[in-house]
Amino acid sequence: MDIQNFFKQSMLNKLLGINIAVYLLISIAGILTYLFGAMGAAEFYANDYLAMPAAPQRLLFRIWTPITYMFTHFDFWHILGNMLWLYFMGQIFLMTFNGKQMFGVYILGGLSGAALYFLSYNIFPVFSQVSALATCVGASGAVTAIVIAICVTQPNMEIRIFGIIPMTLKWLGILYVGYDLFQITGSNAGGHLAHLGGAIFGAIFALQYRKGTDITNGFNRLIDKIVTLWPLVPSTKTKKTKMRVVYGNPNAQKSARDMTDAEYNQQKAAKQRRMDEILDKISQSGYESLTKEEKEFLFKMSGK
């Protein structure tokens, strides 16, 4: 696949591809250094230059690591677990959100995970003996942000774990966060703190989105400005359509084509809130308790 075709892929495939490519490069470098008698050299340098350090004096000279750590894996089972979660939950995420929002949640969730990891290792005395050399790698914090974002946005959606066990996203999110919370006292405290940092961002994103605000907008606008400086990377900006004069009812709703991204997201969030209210009413009082307008709205939305 050439670079142009890569940038035409969906955001989910891009994130999967970058993670897998970095893992393969580190693994191949590890094999080569082993053959030339420098066993462990590749992982040592990758950890030194790509992993997120807990020590402030090390981070000062590795300021790029809060980004690179979330694409770096050394262990096969580590990347396999993260990529499976990203693949399956990413598809569910894209049923509600778009690729730009996935990218924003992934990166900002990963940064939130890095921030909680860094702060915890420099505030809590329990980590004082290990913080000087501690590092954090893996996409887990970023992936957790995506998982929790969709769990909070669609709490009543039912999925089947391993294709067998039925579970709503609400309970999946609770179990996901609960596991990390109770594992802080284990051997991988830093990793679980990074997961929780990602979970916090994912929940905030979802709650704000339900209010009609997309908190990834500013970040994605910044990325749009940056990528236009590199001609190989197509900008993700939406082309503006020419202004049209529409005759008729001035209060009529705009079509999706005539809306800005913010207006479209606000209308989508409002419809979702309305749908959730109606479904809650059905679960409490039954279908017959719905008004005529509520039944029409439910019928209209179920047909989409």
Side-chain angles (χ1 to χ4, degrees):
M1 181 187 294
D2 60 38
I3 194 167
Q4 289 285 7
N5 286 333
F6 173 78
F7 285 111
K8 293 177 182 177
Q9 297 296 310
S10 70
M11 183 55 65
L12 177 57
N13 287 343
K14 289 176 187 174
L15 293 174
L16 290 166
I18 293 171
N19 276 281
I20 294 170
V22 172
Y23 171 74
L24 290 176
L25 286 173
I26 294 172
S27 299
I28 293 170
I31 294 171
L32 293 175
T33 54
Y34 171 80
L35 292 174
F36 284 96
M39 186 171 60
E43 185 171 318
F44 173 82
Y45 284 108
N47 185 69
D48 190 24
Y49 286 96
L50 300 178
M52 168 77 187
Q57 62 272 24
R58 292 182 63 196
L59 180 60
L60 183 63
F61 294 98
R62 303 284 189 272
I63 58 173
W64 57 86
T65 55
I67 294 292
T68 57
Y69 96 99
M70 67 182 81
F71 295 99
T72 304
H73 301 80
F74 300 134
D75 180 73
F76 172 76
W77 296 109
H78 189 197
I79 189 172
L80 178 63
N82 282 339
M83 294 305 98
L84 286 175
W85 275 105
L86 177 59
Y87 177 73
F88 289 111
M89 296 305 293
Q91 293 183 82
I92 298 174
F93 183 95
L94 290 175
M95 293 179 184
T96 301
F97 303 105
N98 59 40
K100 288 178 67 174
Q101 290 165 323
M102 170 175 278
F103 179 71
V105 171
Y106 184 97
I107 297 297
L108 295 176
L111 290 175
S112 296
L116 185 60
Y117 163 77
F118 180 78
L119 290 173
S120 298
Y121 268 64
N122 288 281
I123 290 175
F124 299 115
V126 69
F127 302 120
S128 61
Q129 299 298 316
V130 297
S131 61
L133 297 177
T135 58
C136 184
V137 294
S140 306
V143 172
T144 300
I146 289 175
V147 172
I148 299 305
I150 193 60
C151 287
V152 174
T153 306
Q154 303 284 4
N156 298 317
M157 178 184 289
E158 185 176 287
I159 62 171
R160 289 188 175 271
I161 307 297
F162 306 118
I164 302 172
I165 307 170
M167 181 180 293
T168 61
L169 290 182
K170 173 176 61 179
W171 284 107
L172 176 65
I174 291 172
L175 292 174
Y176 202 99
V177 172
Y179 174 78
D180 285 315
L181 188 61
F182 286 105
Q183 288 296 313
I184 289 177
T185 57
S187 59
N188 186 27
H192 293 291
L193 286 166
H195 300 179
L196 291 172
I200 291 170
F201 179 83
I204 292 173
F205 165 79
L207 293 172
Q208 289 299 309
Y209 185 82
R210 293 185 67 161
K211 295 178 181 178
T213 301
D214 181 357
I215 62 176
T216 66
N217 264 340
F219 172 76
N220 282 320
R221 282 197 297 269
L222 174 63
I223 296 301
D224 278 331
K225 292 179 181 178
I226 293 173
V227 298
T228 53
L229 300 176
W230 188 23
L232 287 175
V233 184
S235 173
T236 55
K237 286 183 178 178
T238 302
K239 292 183 179 180
K240 293 183 178 179
T241 56
K242 293 182 179 181
M243 183 175 66
R244 296 185 302 158
V245 178
V246 180
Y247 298 96
N249 183 1
N251 296 319
Q253 278 193 330
K254 294 180 179 180
S255 68
R257 185 175 61 181
D258 298 322
M259 294 181 188
T260 64
D261 287 344
E263 289 173 333
Y264 176 79
N265 287 332
Q266 288 174 356
Q267 185 183 104
K268 189 175 181 181
K271 288 180 178 179
Q272 184 60 52
R273 288 196 300 273
R274 179 66 170 149
M275 183 65 124
D276 290 342
E277 291 171 358
I278 293 173
L279 293 175
D280 288 341
K281 187 174 180 180
I282 292 174
S283 65
Q284 293 173 8
S285 307
Y287 178 80
E288 294 305 321
S289 65
L290 299 182
T291 65
K292 180 180 179 182
E293 182 274 330
E294 289 171 335
K295 291 179 180 178
E296 290 176 350
F297 180 84
L298 184 64
F299 178 77
K300 180 180 177 182
M301 293 301 292
S302 64
K304 290 190 175 184

